[in-house]
């Protein structure tokens, strides 16, 4: 590609009487995000709050939107922000 953007095109397949269009989508991706399978926040006093931060980084020269979907809510844990933008080269 000549630039960082979304690309779309189609391939037309002629199969006798039938014509099939195959869509092709190509877009830049943020570097691979690595999330730990387990979070250890250590020991804490009963009733206190502890915080753990995971920074999302992007080495591409364009910004990326993200959204986190929680599959099972739990009152002891909170994830914020659940959506936002990772800045370019950030």
């Amino acid at each position: 590609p000549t630039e960082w953007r979304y690309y779309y095109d189609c391939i037309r397949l002629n199969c006798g009487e039938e014509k099939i269009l195959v869509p092709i989508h190509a877009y830049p991706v943020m570097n691979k995000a690595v999330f730990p399978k387990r979070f250890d926040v250590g020991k804490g006093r009963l009733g206190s709050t502890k915080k753990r931060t995971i920074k999302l980084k992007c080495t591409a020269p364009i910004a990326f939107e993200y959204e986190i979907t929680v599959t099972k809510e739990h009152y002891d844990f909170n994830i914020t922000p659940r959506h936002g933008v990772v800045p370019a080269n950030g």
Side-chain angles (χ1 to χ4, degrees), residues 2 4 11-12 15 20 29-30 33 38 41 43 45 47 50 65-66 72 75-76 78 82 84 87:
T2 57
W4 292 82
I11 296 175
R12 180 177 297 183
C15 302
I20 302 171
V29 295
M30 192 169 94
R38 304 181 110 208
V41 292
K43 296 178 181 179
R45 291 183 171 264
K50 292 196 86 174
E65 295 179 4
Y66 73 90
K72 187 175 180 183
Y75 63 90
D76 285 333
N78 187 25
R82 292 195 183 183

Side-chain angles (χ1 to χ4, degrees), residues 36-77:
K37 292 186 186 256
R38 304 181 110 208
F39 290 103
D40 182 4
V41 292
K43 296 178 181 179
R45 291 183 171 264
L46 186 61
S48 66
T49 301
K50 292 196 86 174
K51 182 178 178 180
R52 171 90 187 259
T53 302
I54 297 176
K55 294 187 178 200
L56 299 177
K57 297 178 183 177
C58 178
T59 57
I62 56 174
F64 284 89
E65 295 179 4
Y66 73 90
E67 182 174 344
I68 297 172
T69 303
V70 177
T71 55
K72 187 175 180 183
E73 295 280 350
H74 194 283
Y75 63 90
D76 285 333
F77 300 96

Side-chain angles (χ1 to χ4, degrees), residues 11-30:
I11 296 175
R12 180 177 297 183
L13 301 175
N14 295 318
C15 302
E17 295 292 319
E18 193 172 351
K19 294 180 181 169
I20 302 171
L21 283 178
V22 179
I24 299 173
H25 302 272
Y27 48 91
V29 295
M30 192 169 94

